[in-house]
């Protein structure tokens, strides 16, 4: 007699809890860096203008940085700041030995070139991992500072596949919906480095639902609420939802939802990140991880061996 054991579905990937654990490990390592080398990592966040969402992100980054024992500085510039003045500030921060990480919050006002500003940052202080040197290193498989959201997504994915699967990403079909420089493209590089077969889908992709249904790993980074439908999810897939979208609710309030129709997708997925409390908290935790990593790189200090 054949007994069919139903495979478990609908597990929730607890990004909030994972990020908390990561911040605790960072806190311990920051204390050790201070005790052993007299160093306190310092992260400087630069915000230009008054975009409300950016202001909230920057405030959160500052508070979380201090909470792990690092030094946090926030520099706020008016939206009318010239590109030349911003580049001069970046040069000053590059030269300041007490500064270990520099993050220029995006988007920048339209009169500035974000590519030019990012490329002015010392690659060793580029904790966003957006500098062309870090992008290039990641793409050829060299050690690089890796963008925070894809890095956090990969950590969650690996943990979920270890918990609910056979622990290996090798050979799995990964579909990433979204081709941004911040998430989609670096995510593709990271998954290629894990030996996945990677497809990057985007707004011009034909038969998107079909493409998504081929994914053992589905990463949604499109910035459109509940864009990925439940029946686009392959049975047993791992779903990583990078979206953070605010939508109005019937009671006149609003709430945050992801790029995936969570309830419907959960029925098919082996495991799925919720929004909120999924990928979001990992982004800041990985920023701190990158700041710690950058501090060590600048001082030639090896990372402690993982227990
Ligand atoms: N704006 C939205 N996400 C990010 C990010 O990860 N880094 C920076 N610098 N700006 C952002």
């Amino acid at each position: 007699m054949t007994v069919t054991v139903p495979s478990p579905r609908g597990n929730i990937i607890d990004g909030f809890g994972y990020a908390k654990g990561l911040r605790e490990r960072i806190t311990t390592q920051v204390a050790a860096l201070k005790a052993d080398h007299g160093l306190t990592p310092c992260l400087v966040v630069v915000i230009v203008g008054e975009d409300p969402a950016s202001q909230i992100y920057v405030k959160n980054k500052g508070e979380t940085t201090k909470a792990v024992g690092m030094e946090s500085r926030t520099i706020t510039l008016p939206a009318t700041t010239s590109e030349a003045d911003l580049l001069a500030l970046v040069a000053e921060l590059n030269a300041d030995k007490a500064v270990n990480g520099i993050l220029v919050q995006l988007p920048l006002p339209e009169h500035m070139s974000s590519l030019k500003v990012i490329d002015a940052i010392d690659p060793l202080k580029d904790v966003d991992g957006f500098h062309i040197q870090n992008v290039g290193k990641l793409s050829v498989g060299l050690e690089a500072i890796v963008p925070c959201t894809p890095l956090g997504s990969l950590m969650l994915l690996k943990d979920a596949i270890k918990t609910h699967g056979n622990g290996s990403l090798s050979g799995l079909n990964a579909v990433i919906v979204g081709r941004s420089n911040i998430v989609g493209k670096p995510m593709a590089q990271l998954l290629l480095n894990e030996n996945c077969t990677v497809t990057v889908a985007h707004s011009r992709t034909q038969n998107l639902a079909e493409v998504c249904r081929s994914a053992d790993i589905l990463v949604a980074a499109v910035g459109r609420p509940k864009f990925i439908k439940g029946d686009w999810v392959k049975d047993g897939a791992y779903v990583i939802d990078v979206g953070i979208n605010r939508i109005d609710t019937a009671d006149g309030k609003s709430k945050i939802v992801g790029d995936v129709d969570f309830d419907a997708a959960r029925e098919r997925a082996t495991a799925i990140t919720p929004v909120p409390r999924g990928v979001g908290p990992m982004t800041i935790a990985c920023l701190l991880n990158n700041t710690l990593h950058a501090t060590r790189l600048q001082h030639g200090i090896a990372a402690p061996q993982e227990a």
Side-chain angles (χ1 to χ4, degrees):
M1 189 181 78
T2 315
V3 180
T4 310
V5 181
S7 18
R9 295 286 177 264
N11 294 287
I12 295 196
I13 301 173
D14 177 16
F16 184 83
Y18 194 100
K20 184 167 178 280
L22 179 55
R23 289 197 308 273
E24 283 165 5
R25 294 195 290 282
I26 293 169
T27 304
T28 306
Q29 293 179 30
V30 168
L33 202 60
K34 196 167 189 171
D36 300 343
H37 301 276
L39 292 170
T40 301
C42 170
L43 172 63
V44 178
V45 176
V46 180
I47 175 168
V48 187
E50 287 171 5
D51 177 62
S54 291
Q55 283 177 328
I56 294 171
Y57 288 136
V58 167
K59 186 163 170 274
N60 282 344
K61 283 171 188 167
E63 286 169 0
T64 320
T65 304
K66 285 183 194 149
V68 298
M70 292 185 185
E71 194 185 322
S72 159
R73 278 167 56 192
T74 302
I75 299 176
T76 307
L77 300 174
T80 51
T81 303
S82 69
E83 187 183 85
D85 282 352
L86 180 57
L87 291 172
L89 171 66
V90 168
E92 219 176 277
L93 296 171
N94 284 343
D96 186 342
K97 288 209 160 42
V99 172
N100 304 107
I102 303 168
L103 182 147
V104 178
Q105 184 68 25
L106 303 176
L108 286 169
E110 275 183 7
H111 64 278
M112 294 187 185
S113 153
S114 27
L115 273 183
K116 201 166 163 186
V117 172
I118 288 163
D119 267 3
I121 298 172
D122 178 344
L124 285 180
K125 295 189 179 184
D126 166 40
V127 284
D128 261 328
F130 294 167
H131 189 285
I132 225 141
Q133 277 194 32
N134 282 314
V135 174
K137 282 183 175 173
L138 177 63
S139 83
V140 295
L142 285 175
E143 198 189 326
I145 300 180
V146 177
C148 305
T149 302
L151 179 60
S153 300
L154 182 67
M155 287 178 185
L156 292 182
L157 189 57
K158 280 184 166 176
D159 189 59
I161 292 184
K162 205 163 93 185
T163 308
H164 307 291
N166 71 359
S168 173
L169 279 72
S170 185
L172 296 182
N173 284 335
V175 173
I176 300 157
V177 189
R179 55 174 158 179
S180 71
N181 291 338
I182 294 182
V183 183
K185 289 180 198 164
M187 190 75 218
Q189 294 296 350
L190 286 172
L191 291 170
L192 273 176
N193 292 348
E194 297 293 330
N195 300 315
C196 292
T197 302
V198 179
T199 302
V200 182
H202 48 77
S203 53
R204 308 282 171 88
T205 296
Q206 294 179 10
N207 304 322
L208 182 60
E210 269 319 298
V211 173
C212 290
R213 272 183 215 116
S214 73
D216 303 306
I217 295 167
L218 182 58
V219 180
V222 270
R224 293 170 68 174
K226 300 190 182 186
F227 179 72
I228 307 283
K229 307 301 171 211
D231 66 355
W232 297 14
V233 174
K234 179 179 175 177
D235 186 43
Y238 291 82
V239 180
I240 302 290
D241 189 350
V242 176
I244 301 177
N245 310 288
R246 184 169 287 284
I247 58 164
D248 296 330
T249 50
D251 57 5
K253 295 185 180 153
S254 69
K255 67 172 182 175
I256 301 287
V257 298
D259 290 349
V260 178
D261 184 353
F262 178 82
D263 291 331
R266 187 181 174 192
E267 287 180 18
R268 293 189 174 216
T270 292
I272 181 169
T273 57
V275 178
R277 296 170 77 95
V279 173
M282 290 300 289
T283 298
I284 296 189
C286 285
L287 173 65
L288 303 177
N289 208 39
N290 280 354
T291 305
L292 180 63
H293 178 54
T295 308
R296 289 197 186 110
L297 282 177
Q298 288 155 31
H299 291 272
I301 299 167
Q305 295 295 315
E306 291 283 325

